[in-house]
Amino acid sequence: NAGVTQTPKFRILKIGQSMTLQCAQDMNHNYMYWYRQDPGMGLKLIYYSVGAGITDKGEVPNGYNVSRSTTEDFPLRLELAAPSQTSVYFCASRTGVENIQYFGAGTRLSVL
Amino acid sequence: AQSVTQLDSQVPVFEEAPVELRCNYSSSVSVYLFWYVQYPNQGLQLLLKYLSGSTLVKGINGFEAEFNKSQTSFHLRKPSVHISDTAEYFCAVSGSFQKLVFGTGTRLLVSP
């Protein structure tokens, strides 16, 4: 089983560039999440989705956008990259019944 | 709103020694508690969870945790650690199953 797949694994962006972080899950989970992880800060929730077509803001949504057109995919968009968005980004998913979030391996992003 | 405090940013320990990683939470409602582990350059995976019932919860790799409502704690323990337990450990709380709030993490360093 692939589980939660994130692409790319690494990316370097210049200030002002845009990019989309991809996240796909093959477990038919309704709930999906995007987190960012900064050293010594734990994980902060950016956006989440409870099903296709439904998204909501988390704790740190500024500078990001999401969409959820299918159950499987939950891309995260950075429109105008800033150095403050240098971080490791994790996508996660869970079912509506279980209480366990399954994480992808992460995308390490540097904005220079 | 919920919050989690992991007071120890780093815990060094010798192989085969016992270890306790501390986690305290605050919440005005009933909570669900989790411990996740992150190995280097990987995503997070669930170690154990407390939803209800017995306050002593056993997880994978010989770890266990005890829910203490009066002290609002959920400390993680292992009687004898291995080199392979070197990782970062995150405590998380959820007042509902939709979202998790993570602590800042504790890095466990096991040396021979």
Side-chain angles (χ1 to χ4, degrees):
Chain A
N1 289 336
V4 179
T5 302
Q6 291 185 238
T7 55
K9 293 191 186 319
F10 305 95
R11 183 73 184 267
I12 298 175
L13 282 182
K14 294 182 179 179
I15 295 172
Q17 286 185 321
S18 62
M19 79 162 292
T20 299
L21 282 65
Q22 302 291 346
C23 176
Q25 52 93 7
D26 61 0
M27 297 174 282
N28 201 32
H29 287 171
N30 290 323
Y31 294 78
M32 295 187 76
Y33 304 82
W34 273 107
Y35 296 91
R36 60 176 289 169
Q37 183 182 26
D38 301 298
M41 300 294 289
L43 278 77
K44 302 292 185 184
L45 182 64
I46 305 171
Y47 271 96
Y48 68 103
S49 170
V50 300
I54 306 170
T55 62
D56 205 352
K57 296 178 180 179
E59 188 179 354
V60 290
N62 291 343
Y64 307 95
N65 281 301
V66 294
S67 59
R68 184 94 182 272
S69 56
T70 67
T71 298
E72 294 77 21
D73 300 298
F74 190 39
L76 178 71
R77 178 85 178 161
L78 283 69
E79 291 293 349
L80 291 170
S84 61
Q85 294 177 306
T86 294
S87 188
V88 182
Y89 292 85
F90 288 101
C91 179
S93 72
R94 58 168 277 258
T95 68
V97 176
E98 287 187 340
N99 310 310
I100 304 169
Q101 290 193 19
Y102 297 85
F103 284 79
T107 295
R108 188 174 298 272
L109 176 67
S110 294
V111 182
L112 305 174
Chain B
Q2 292 84 37
S3 67
V4 175
T5 301
Q6 292 181 250
L7 286 173
D8 304 309
S9 59
Q10 190 166 290
V11 173
V13 64
F14 289 109
E15 194 174 21
E16 297 183 7
V19 71
E20 178 180 83
L21 305 184
R22 297 180 294 168
C23 172
N24 288 89
Y25 69 91
S26 66
S27 176
S28 57
V29 298
S30 297
V31 295
Y32 308 99
L33 294 156
F34 306 80
W35 275 100
Y36 280 82
V37 60
Q38 183 181 30
Y39 298 104
N41 300 315
Q42 294 186 26
L44 280 71
Q45 63 183 86
L46 184 72
L47 263 183
L48 48 80
K49 62 182 177 181
Y50 171 79
L51 304 180
S52 64
S54 173
T55 58
L56 184 62
V57 180
K58 294 188 183 299
I60 62 172
N61 301 338
F63 284 92
E64 63 181 30
E66 186 157 19
F67 171 59
N68 188 319
K69 188 174 182 179
S70 62
Q71 296 188 4
T72 61
S73 67
F74 190 54
H75 301 332
L76 181 70
R77 302 185 182 98
K78 187 170 182 179
S80 175
V81 295
H82 301 286
I83 296 286
S84 59
D85 292 324
T86 294
E88 189 147 21
Y89 293 79
F90 292 93
C91 183
V93 63
S94 175
S96 69
F97 295 148
Q98 280 198 358
K99 291 186 277 187
L100 288 176
V101 175
F102 286 87
T104 52
T106 297
R107 189 174 300 276
L108 179 62
L109 299 170
V110 183
S111 54

